[in-house]
């Protein structure tokens, strides 16, 4: 039965019940055209199954009421023309009806674009099945006006209709999934989350048009009848929407597209299939108040529209509903009387691959423009004004941090040859001092004799504090002691722009050698008898690309040894542990090529070990005539890379370096990360089931030339570690002849422990634990803390018999006060994201705690989860700290590659999945989650808040990489070409589209952004200061003007990418960041009150 027949039947029944109602409705139909259309649509959809009975009953009385019925029907037909969603053919209608294609303009208006079609091609059915979203509880039985519009607003419903009819991928997914695997409402919730960045603009435009039409309609209505009062939204809610346990219904989207075929007709049912009960309900009243309320509800939804109201504060950006910011849902913190700076705009049009876009803040990339300095100064003034009310809090926080610092910090000495080297920070100073003393392995008598001769005195090799006092800034890049311990070569940056100068110090005289200073040096290596020093220099883009050799004291010009012309590769040099060879490593982000130089025969020149292969990396060490090689080269006769790294070796002769023999495979659940080599032992850094570990193998080893061996078959010694381990980092370990391997072990609840592992005896010694005043107690010798037994766990499957009970030693952790657990979170495609959660035992699963989520996800770097005493500030105040190891970072297998280039969105979805998990599982209150990202981690976090504006309430972006699209399009900027392997080359259209899709600066949308602290450094050579400045200016321009007042920019006008770095200066920076978080969370008053009490 078509629309006309159902409208006719409805009209006849309505006319039969009350001619007066029809006449009165006709008089006001003009005023409530849209409301009547919606009303009639609902009743039409609800009566589909009953139409035959109603038609039969109506036919008997049709002759008596025909004239009146036709008149009413004509009115409803006129109203139905404006219904925005066309009705598909009803069941029983002929299948031969022609299908009218949707006009292209209609598709465009409702967001069904080619860009959307391309995007959904990358979505799989697993994306929906495994999406990290909890099922909602069953809906209430309390009747509502509509079974669908609590799930989809008007625009979304129309978009869904068009997508199902024109995008086969989504249509197929819905057919496969609903209702067998999920309910319709969950399917569409997930869909609109995934495509939000593609459709939000179209939805916003539609809603703005709808709002303008409603406003104009009200104006026209007032002009026609000045005494009439417009209906109000509260009345509509009271009349139409009784309270229910949930705002959703369990109905299928088919009920929306095809009509609700049940008898859910809003009133108390009399048990019959007719509509008598419903008309009885309205027969004694007027239908007009119902139309009034419905029209008011429509006006309200146009302004306050949200796809799923109960999710809007967690999953969706406000872009579709933020045309008017008078409805800002956030409660931004106190704003200073000073207004945010307004950056000037200079029109500039960018273009690439046929696409153009405006970038009015492009002028900021010129750091020589005085207007930029002025703007940054005004932003700093505004940030200080914004944080004025946190002054006392910051002072207290600095006091807390300093109170936990010991007066003097030192490291245990490391023995190398005849010397013991160590560092310490003098009392009250900012920076460390590098020192050494002669060691005495030959007994007490010789030690006493040397002491009396003055040989045992401390020698200060390098004092960072003296340099900082002279130049105002200090950053030591590389330090290398010569093999004969006579010289110290180091690189020094005194400006913060990471332009390092080489200096060589004669340790006997204590003076810097004249003419040894070279600008733009990165890496160093001593050769032979230490009279020759090799170093690399940078080009204009700060890419190390050339290797020179310097003959100390010869007066000769430095000799050029090697030049790498490939702009995507950097050159690094190092010497093998035994000093026999120097390796020149030409590395891109994904491939490597290694040359070696025999230090005893420098004139013989370079040997190429193996030519570069795309995707293949290798690194080598030397051991008594063999090169040991860690590589991911293919194990087959193909040119593609292997799944992970393994160990190979070759004879260390020029003609045989390309003939590799595979000797050690990692085995199940283990991946090789790095290696080191000593006289009698080979050390492997590994990942085992997601945890970092070390193990040693005795060498030389007996190797079968036919078949490589798995690690477990070589009798490895897995270094015993604490069960709470999160971080294990190798020490310097310079001495090739030593059997001792030093590491630093740490976790978020365990201060750093320095442990020496004796690989020959397979024993370990705890040398030192970082002292935290008030939390640990300084013990004798180098052992600190006696609070808890040091219970090491053996990580290999077999118990090491040599590990005796007597080896249990003392250490300190905070596990009784704070919980540290590692869980896995399901991401959008089913990937399990490792998430480390730290909180006080009292704050677990309370649903009330504030939380801070850390993320990085780039360059294969593992997120730092080591001990940081600063964290006590937040943990002691009930905060939850979480660390998300998203794809793109380091770890097992392909964790890095699956978060790069075309897969970069995986990193962002992983991060947001972790944020949602913290809220959904009760670790963090839904309105108290914050996020922090540094450098490339800033890109991750900023991209996440563009997609999910309401997920985070506060954000810290430290020297963030935000303008990636424009930066990557400029190959003249430092690191840009090197980053093509990581993020993609935007000169390629496919890579450009992906980068432009998630670029934080290019995807800022209207809505309520969280409070954001952005930090930058004017002399930063890695991430231009303009990236932060442009982003802040764009946020202020495009987003909610109330919320954006809580976005502040703090620029260090003299520092670089790594900040000042001083011990106490660091406290000031951290206190500013933590005070910002406390204020942004609305906790400042409580903090101040608790201090007073």
């Amino acid at each position: 039965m078509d629309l006309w027949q159902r409208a006719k039947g409805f009209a006849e029944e309505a006319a039969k019940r009350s001619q007066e109602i029809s006449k009165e409705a006709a008089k006001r139909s003009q005023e409530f055209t849209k409301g009547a259309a919606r009303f009639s649509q609902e009743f039409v959809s609800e009566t589909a199954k009953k139409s035959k009975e109603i038609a039969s009953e109506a036919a008997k009385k049709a002759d008596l009421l025909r004239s009146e019925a036709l008149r009413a029907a004509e009115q409803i037909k006129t109203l139905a023309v404006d219904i925005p969603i066309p009705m598909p053919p009803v069941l029983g209608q002929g299948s031969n009806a022609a299908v009218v294609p949707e006009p292209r303009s209609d598709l465009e208006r409702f967001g069904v674009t080619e860009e959307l079609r391309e995007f959904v091609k990358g979505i799989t059915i697993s994306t929906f099945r495994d999406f990290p979203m909890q099922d909602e509880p069953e809906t209430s039985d309390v009747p509502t006006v509509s079974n669908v519009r609590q799930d989809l607003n008007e625009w979304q419903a129309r978009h869904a209709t068009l997508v199902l009819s024109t995008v086969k991928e989504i249509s197929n997914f819905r057919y496969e999934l609903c209702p067998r695997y999920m309910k319709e409402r969950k399917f569409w919730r997930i869909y609109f989350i995934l495509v939000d960045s593609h459709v939000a603009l179209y939805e916003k435009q539609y809603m703005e048009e709808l709002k303008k039409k409603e406003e104009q309609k009200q104006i026209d209505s007032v002009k026609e009848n000045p005494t009439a009062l417009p209906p109000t939204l509260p009345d509509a809610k009271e009349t139409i929407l009784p309270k229910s346990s949930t705002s959703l219904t369990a109905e299928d989207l088919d009920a929306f597209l095809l009509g609700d075929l049940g008898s859910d007709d809003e009133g108390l049912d009399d048990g019959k299939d007719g509509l008598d009960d419903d008309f009885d309900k309205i027969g004694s009243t007027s239908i007009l108040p119902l139309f009034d309320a419905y029209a008011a509800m429509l006006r309200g939804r146009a302004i306050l529209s949200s796809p799923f109201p109960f999710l809007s504060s967690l999953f969706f950006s406000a872009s579709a509903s933020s045309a008017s910011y008078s409805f800002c849902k956030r409660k931004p913190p106190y704003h200073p009387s000073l207004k945010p700076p307004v950056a000037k705009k200079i029109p500039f049009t960018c273009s690439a691959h046929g696409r153009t876009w405006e970038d009015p803040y492009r002028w900021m990339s010129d750091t020589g423009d005085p207007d930029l300095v002025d703007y940054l100064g005004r932003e700093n003034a505004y940030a200080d004004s914004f944080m004025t009310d946190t002054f006392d809090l910051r002072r207290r926080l600095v006091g807390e941090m300093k109170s936990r610092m010991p007066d003097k910090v030192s490291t245990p000495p490391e023995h190398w040859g005849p010397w013991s080297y160590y560092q310490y920070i003098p009392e009250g100073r900012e920076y460390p001092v590098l020192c050494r003393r002669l060691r005495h392995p030959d007994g007490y008598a010789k030690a006493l004799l040397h002491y009396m001769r003055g040989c045992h005195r401390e020698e200060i090799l390098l004092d960072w504090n003296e340099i900082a006092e002279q130049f105002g800034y200090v950053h030591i890049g590389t330090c290398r002691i010569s093999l004969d311990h006579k010289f110290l070569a180091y690189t020094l940056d005194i400006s913060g722009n990471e332009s390092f100068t080489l200096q060589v110090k004669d340790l006997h005289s204590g003076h810097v050698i004249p003419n040894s200073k070279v600008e733009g040096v990165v890496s160093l290596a001593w050769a032979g008898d230490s009279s020759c020093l090799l170093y690399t220099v940078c080009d204009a883009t700060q890419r190390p690309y050339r290797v020179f050799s310097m003959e100390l004291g010869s007066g000769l010009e430095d000799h050029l040894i090697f030049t790498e012309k490939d702009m995507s590769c950097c050159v690094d040099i190092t010497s093998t542990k035994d000093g026999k060879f120097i390796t020149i490593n030409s590395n891109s982000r994904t491939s490597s090529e290694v040359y070696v130089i025999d230090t005893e025969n420098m004139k013989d020149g370079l040997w190429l070990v193996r030519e570069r292969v795309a995707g293949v990396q290798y690194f080598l060490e030397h051991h008594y005539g063999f090169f040991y090689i860690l590589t991911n080269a293919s194990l087959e006769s193909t040119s593609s890379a292997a799944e992970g790294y393994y160990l190979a070796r070759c004879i260390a002769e020029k003609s045989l370096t390309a003939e590799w023999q595979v000797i050690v495979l990692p085995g199940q659940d283990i991946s090789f990360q790095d290696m080191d080599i000593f006289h009698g032992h080979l050390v492997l850094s590994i990942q085992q089931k997601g945890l970092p570990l070390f193990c040693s193998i005795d060498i030389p080893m007996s190797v079968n030339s036919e078949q490589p061996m798995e690690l477990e078959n070589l009798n490895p010694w897995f270094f015993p570690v604490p069960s709470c381990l999160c971080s294990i980092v190798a020490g310097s370990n310079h001495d090739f002849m030593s059997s001792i391997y030093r590491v630093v072990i740490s976790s978020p609840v365990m201060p750093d422990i320095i442990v020496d592992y004796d690989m020959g005896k397979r024993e370990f010694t705890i040398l030192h634990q970082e002292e935290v005043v008030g939390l640990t107690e300084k013990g004798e010798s180098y052992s600190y803390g006696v609070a808890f037994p040091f219970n090491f766990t053996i990580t290999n499957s077999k118990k090491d018999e040599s590990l005796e009970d007597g080896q249990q030693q003392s250490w300190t952790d905070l596990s009784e006060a704070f919980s540290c657990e590692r869980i896995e979170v399901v991401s959008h495609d089913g990937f399990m994201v490792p998430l480390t959660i730290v909180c006080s035992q009292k704050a677990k699963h309370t649903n009330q705690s504030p939380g801070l989520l850390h993320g990085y996800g780039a360059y294969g770097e593992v997120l730092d989860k080591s001990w940081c005493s600063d964290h006590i500030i937040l943990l002691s105040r009930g905060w939850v700290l979480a660390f998300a190891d998203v794809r793109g970072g380091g770890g097992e297998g392909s964790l890095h590659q699956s978060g790069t280039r075309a897969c970069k969105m995986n990193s962002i979805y992983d991060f947001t999945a972790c944020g949602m998990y913290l809220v959904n599982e009760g670790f963090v209150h839904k309105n108290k989650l914050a996020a922090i990202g540094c450098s490339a981690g800033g890109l991750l976090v900023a991209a996440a808040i563009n997609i999910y504006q309401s997920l985070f309430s506060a954000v810290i972006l430290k020297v963030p990489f935000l303008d990636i699209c424009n930066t990557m399009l400029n190959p003249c900027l430092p690191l840009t070409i090197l980053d093509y392997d990581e993020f993609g080359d935007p000169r390629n259209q496919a890579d450009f589209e992906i980068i432009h899709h998630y670029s934080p600066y290019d995807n800022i949308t209207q809505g309520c952004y969280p409070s954001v602290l952005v930090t930058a450094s004017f002399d930063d050579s890695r991430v231009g200061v303009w990236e932060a400045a442009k982003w802040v200016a764009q946020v202020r321009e495009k987003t909610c003007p109330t919320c954006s007042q809580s976005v502040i920019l703090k620029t260090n006008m003299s520092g670089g990418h790594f900040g000042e770095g001083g011990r106490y200066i660091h406290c000031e920076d951290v206190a500013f960041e933590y005070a910002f978080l406390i204020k942004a969370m609305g906790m400042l008053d409580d903090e101040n009150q608790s201090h007073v009490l």
Side-chain angles (χ1 to χ4, degrees), residues 661-817:
Q661 176 192 5
V662 180
I663 56 175
V664 183
L665 301 176
Q668 188 174 5
D669 297 329
I670 292 178
S671 62
F672 294 163
Q673 305 293 311
D674 203 353
M675 72 168 178
D676 203 349
I677 206 161
F678 298 84
H679 166 71
H681 307 279
L682 183 142
V683 178
L684 289 168
S685 169
I686 65 175
Q687 286 267 337
Q688 185 176 36
K689 296 182 179 178
L691 294 176
L693 300 169
F694 280 87
C695 72
S696 66
I697 303 170
D698 295 340
I699 53 173
M701 63 183 73
S702 176
V703 178
N704 187 330
S705 60
E706 299 293 330
Q707 190 71 28
M709 301 180 68
E710 289 196 353
L711 179 62
E712 64 179 9
N713 297 322
L714 293 170
N715 189 29
W717 183 45
F718 289 84
F719 295 176
V721 295
S723 56
C724 63
L725 166 78
C726 282
S727 171
I728 179 168
V729 180
S732 299
N733 298 307
H734 288 297
D735 196 344
F736 174 75
M737 299 305 296
S738 176
S739 63
I740 303 297
Y741 196 77
R742 179 168 294 180
V743 303
V744 180
I745 297 174
S746 181
S747 87
V749 295
M750 182 179 70
D752 292 357
I753 301 171
I754 299 177
V755 184
D756 274 357
Y757 291 93
D758 189 325
M759 298 177 288
K761 297 179 180 179
R762 298 200 168 186
E763 297 176 352
F764 64 89
T765 303
I766 300 170
L767 298 178
H768 171 86
Q769 181 169 23
E770 179 184 335
E771 181 183 359
V772 183
V773 178
L775 299 177
T776 63
E777 296 181 3
K778 185 174 180 180
E780 297 180 358
S781 184
Y782 293 108
S783 179
Y784 290 77
V786 291
F788 305 103
F790 198 165
N791 294 321
F792 279 98
T793 24
I794 306 304
T795 55
N796 53 334
S797 57
K798 296 181 180 179
K799 180 177 174 62
D800 193 328
E801 298 299 333
S802 68
L803 185 64
E804 300 175 357
D805 293 339
Q807 283 191 255
Q808 291 190 355
Q809 301 177 50
S810 298
W811 68 307
T812 296
D813 72 11
L814 308 178
S815 57
E816 287 193 349

Side-chain angles (χ1 to χ4, degrees), residues 472-774:
Y473 179 89
V474 59
H475 181 188
I476 302 296
T478 304
C479 272
R480 292 289 183 267
I481 303 288
S482 63
L483 298 178
D484 59 6
H485 303 274
K486 293 181 179 180
F487 301 97
L488 169 65
Y490 61 95
T491 60
L492 172 65
D493 171 24
I494 57 174
S495 66
N497 64 0
E498 294 186 76
S499 178
F500 291 92
T501 301
L502 169 64
Q503 302 195 31
V504 181
K505 187 175 184 179
D506 184 334
L507 297 180
H508 178 70
S509 67
H511 299 299
V512 174
I513 297 176
N515 302 320
S516 67
K517 295 184 179 181
V518 181
E519 302 294 332
V521 175
V522 179
S523 57
L524 309 169
W526 288 99
D529 60 359
S530 299
S531 64
C532 180
L533 175 67
L534 277 68
Y535 61 88
T536 62
V537 295
C538 294
D539 64 10
T541 64
Q542 294 194 335
R543 177 182 70 97
Y545 78 118
R546 282 183 170 175
V547 179
F548 287 88
S549 66
M550 173 190 294
E551 297 289 339
L552 297 181
S554 68
L556 299 175
E557 186 176 347
D558 295 352
H559 176 60
L560 175 63
I561 293 177
F562 177 81
T563 300
E564 177 55 79
K565 297 180 180 179
D566 188 339
M567 295 291 290
S568 67
C569 296
C570 287
V571 178
D572 174 69
I573 57 173
T574 186
S575 61
T576 57
K577 182 65 67 72
D578 60 3
K580 299 292 185 181
F581 291 88
I582 289 177
T583 64
I584 298 177
N585 311 283
S586 175
N587 303 317
S588 72
R589 300 286 189 195
T590 59
S591 67
S592 58
E593 189 171 71
V594 180
Y595 298 82
V596 296
I597 303 175
D598 187 342
T599 59
E600 296 178 356
N601 189 13
M602 296 284 290
K603 294 181 180 179
D604 196 29
L606 305 179
W607 308 353
L608 173 62
V609 177
R610 181 178 280 191
E611 291 185 353
R612 187 186 311 276
V613 174
V616 174
Q617 295 179 309
Y618 66 97
F619 315 93
L620 60 82
E621 263 290 356
H622 178 258
H623 188 268
Y624 297 108
F626 285 96
F627 288 134
Y628 283 78
I629 306 161
L630 188 68
T631 181
N632 66 340
S634 173
L635 292 169
E636 306 283 336
S637 58
T638 63
S639 59
S640 60
E643 285 292 325
Y645 288 89
Y646 59 88
L647 194 65
R649 75 176 182 182
C650 68
I651 297 174
E653 294 182 10
K654 189 173 185 178
S655 61
L656 300 174
T657 55
E659 298 179 11
W660 294 0
Q661 176 192 5
V662 180
I663 56 175
V664 183
L665 301 176
Q668 188 174 5
D669 297 329
I670 292 178
S671 62
F672 294 163
Q673 305 293 311
D674 203 353
M675 72 168 178
D676 203 349
I677 206 161
F678 298 84
H679 166 71
H681 307 279
L682 183 142
V683 178
L684 289 168
S685 169
I686 65 175
Q687 286 267 337
Q688 185 176 36
K689 296 182 179 178
L691 294 176
L693 300 169
F694 280 87
C695 72
S696 66
I697 303 170
D698 295 340
I699 53 173
M701 63 183 73
S702 176
V703 178
N704 187 330
S705 60
E706 299 293 330
Q707 190 71 28
M709 301 180 68
E710 289 196 353
L711 179 62
E712 64 179 9
N713 297 322
L714 293 170
N715 189 29
W717 183 45
F718 289 84
F719 295 176
V721 295
S723 56
C724 63
L725 166 78
C726 282
S727 171
I728 179 168
V729 180
S732 299
N733 298 307
H734 288 297
D735 196 344
F736 174 75
M737 299 305 296
S738 176
S739 63
I740 303 297
Y741 196 77
R742 179 168 294 180
V743 303
V744 180
I745 297 174
S746 181
S747 87
V749 295
M750 182 179 70
D752 292 357
I753 301 171
I754 299 177
V755 184
D756 274 357
Y757 291 93
D758 189 325
M759 298 177 288
K761 297 179 180 179
R762 298 200 168 186
E763 297 176 352
F764 64 89
T765 303
I766 300 170
L767 298 178
H768 171 86
Q769 181 169 23
E770 179 184 335
E771 181 183 359
V772 183
V773 178

Side-chain angles (χ1 to χ4, degrees), residues 298-315:
L298 292 177
R299 286 195 297 274
R301 295 191 67 81
I303 298 172
L304 299 172
S305 171
S306 177
F308 310 105
F310 78 104
L311 281 174
S312 62
S313 64
L314 182 59
F315 292 108

Side-chain angles (χ1 to χ4, degrees), residues 77-132:
K77 180 180 179 181
T78 301
L79 297 177
V81 170
D82 292 331
I83 297 177
I85 303 175
M87 294 292 293
V90 185
L91 295 177
Q93 198 170 342
S95 60
N96 295 327
V99 179
V100 180
E102 297 293 343
R104 175 171 292 275
S105 59
D106 209 23
L107 293 174
E108 181 78 15
R109 184 186 184 198
F110 289 93
V112 186
T113 61
E114 290 302 319
E115 184 181 14
L116 177 71
R117 296 176 195 274
E118 287 299 317
F119 175 73
V120 300
K121 289 179 181 178
I123 300 175
T124 67
I125 197 167
S126 297
T127 304
F128 284 89
R129 286 186 180 178
D130 302 326
F131 195 85

Side-chain angles (χ1 to χ4, degrees), residues 19 84 360 469 608 774 890 910 920 984 999-1000 1002 1052:
Q19 292 185 11
E469 289 171 1
L608 173 62
D910 289 352
N920 294 339
S999 171
D1002 295 297
N1052 181 345

Side-chain angles (χ1 to χ4, degrees), residues 890-908:
E892 290 186 286
S894 59
L895 189 67
H896 174 216
Q897 292 301 322
S898 58
T900 62
R901 297 182 70 102
C903 301
K904 187 58 187 175
M905 286 300 297
N906 285 338
S907 305
I908 301 164

